[in-house]
Amino acid sequence: MEILKNCRKAEIYTAANELLATAEVFRDLSGNILLSVPTDFPLDEHDLFLITFFDPVSGLIFSRCTLTKSDEKTSEERDSLLCNILEVMESKQRRQDLKLSLEIPLEMFFIHPASGIPGIPDMIAAYTRNISAGGVYFICKYALPVDAELQFQLRGASKPLTLTAKVLRQETLPPSNDVPQYGHGCRFIDLRPQSEAVLRNYIFRQERQKRF
């Protein structure tokens, strides 16, 4: 399947949307899609599977599939399954463009200016309006200047993830319970490839949970 030519990872779910396993994706010499799964994968307990493919070019691909045992062996701990895609139910845009509307509470600390800003505490309580692999939009009760850099830890990711965001724009929002509100559009900076992979995986997992 051409849309999955760059795919290396997938998540396998039951028809009732219960996660069964995370799989590595590869192809045999004939171009068939194979999934590497743990040897205790419950293949015989289900007829159909919902599979989410993570493709770095095509994005997030939701499909309905059948799986059969393959003769190819990847290791003693893992089996190979031949994947037959019956239907692509939905595909999302490329992961670097995928913006997730999600409210996440944050504790943010100034990186630049290093001494902070007069009248603003060192730790700022904020919450996200949306987040993507490239940046975040957060809201707090302080008007932070463009080019300010703040660091925060994203909780709920598969691994501890510390992100640094640089403010690109700021806007005044309607007050909440008489408390001023300011929105800040930011991009992530100094994001290492390993951290970016964890962030993208987090965003895709949250996106999938919102769909069901």
Side-chain angles (χ1 to χ4, degrees):
M1 190 175 184
E2 186 68 17
I3 195 173
L4 292 175
K5 66 180 182 179
N6 299 294
C7 182
R8 296 293 181 271
K9 180 182 176 183
E11 290 180 345
I12 307 174
Y13 295 79
T14 67
N17 200 41
E18 298 174 347
L19 179 64
L20 293 174
T22 297
E24 298 173 8
V25 181
F26 60 103
R27 293 177 183 269
D28 62 16
L29 296 177
S30 300
N32 297 311
I33 298 173
L34 297 174
L35 303 180
S36 174
V37 298
T39 54
D40 60 355
F41 183 84
L43 178 63
D44 297 332
E45 298 179 15
H46 307 277
D47 296 323
L48 291 174
F49 299 86
L50 300 179
I51 300 182
T52 303
F53 292 97
F54 299 86
D55 190 286
V57 175
S58 301
L60 190 65
I61 300 164
F62 303 98
S63 60
R64 184 178 288 110
C65 309
T66 58
L67 298 174
T68 54
K69 193 73 172 289
S70 169
D71 293 332
E72 293 201 27
K73 188 80 172 177
T74 56
S75 71
E76 292 299 322
E77 294 79 25
R78 300 184 73 83
D79 288 329
S80 296
L81 304 179
L82 179 64
C83 178
N84 178 33
I85 298 178
L86 304 177
E87 177 190 5
V88 174
M89 299 180 292
E90 185 179 358
S91 61
K92 291 293 185 180
Q93 62 200 107
R94 292 178 305 168
R95 64 177 58 187
Q96 60 264 38
D97 298 326
L98 181 60
K99 184 180 293 185
L100 179 67
S101 296
L102 189 65
E103 186 172 311
I104 309 169
L106 303 176
E107 292 181 351
M108 313 189 78
F109 301 86
F110 280 105
I111 300 297
H112 173 77
S115 59
I117 298 174
I120 299 179
D122 293 335
M123 191 281 287
I124 298 173
Y127 63 92
T128 64
R129 174 177 287 175
N130 57 63
I131 187 170
S132 72
V136 63
Y137 184 97
F138 71 84
I139 297 172
C140 68
K141 66 179 182 179
Y142 302 102
L144 307 182
V146 170
D147 291 335
E149 297 174 12
L150 300 103
Q151 195 170 81
F152 64 92
Q153 187 172 62
L154 182 64
R155 305 187 187 280
S158 58
K159 298 179 180 179
L161 186 58
T162 300
L163 300 170
T164 302
K166 182 174 183 177
V167 178
L168 301 181
R169 60 185 176 89
Q170 178 248 99
E171 60 184 347
T172 303
L173 303 176
S176 175
N177 296 324
D178 295 326
V179 177
Q181 299 287 289
Y182 299 92
H184 303 81
C186 308
R187 67 176 173 87
F188 293 128
I189 60 175
D190 302 327
L191 190 60
R192 296 183 177 182
Q194 298 93 331
S195 297
E196 184 178 356
V198 173
L199 175 59
R200 287 174 170 173
N201 182 269
Y202 170 82
I203 291 170
F204 275 173
R205 284 179 178 273
Q206 295 298 321
E207 169 68 13
R208 195 182 198 288
Q209 289 178 11
K210 291 185 68 175
R211 292 181 71 256
F212 294 98

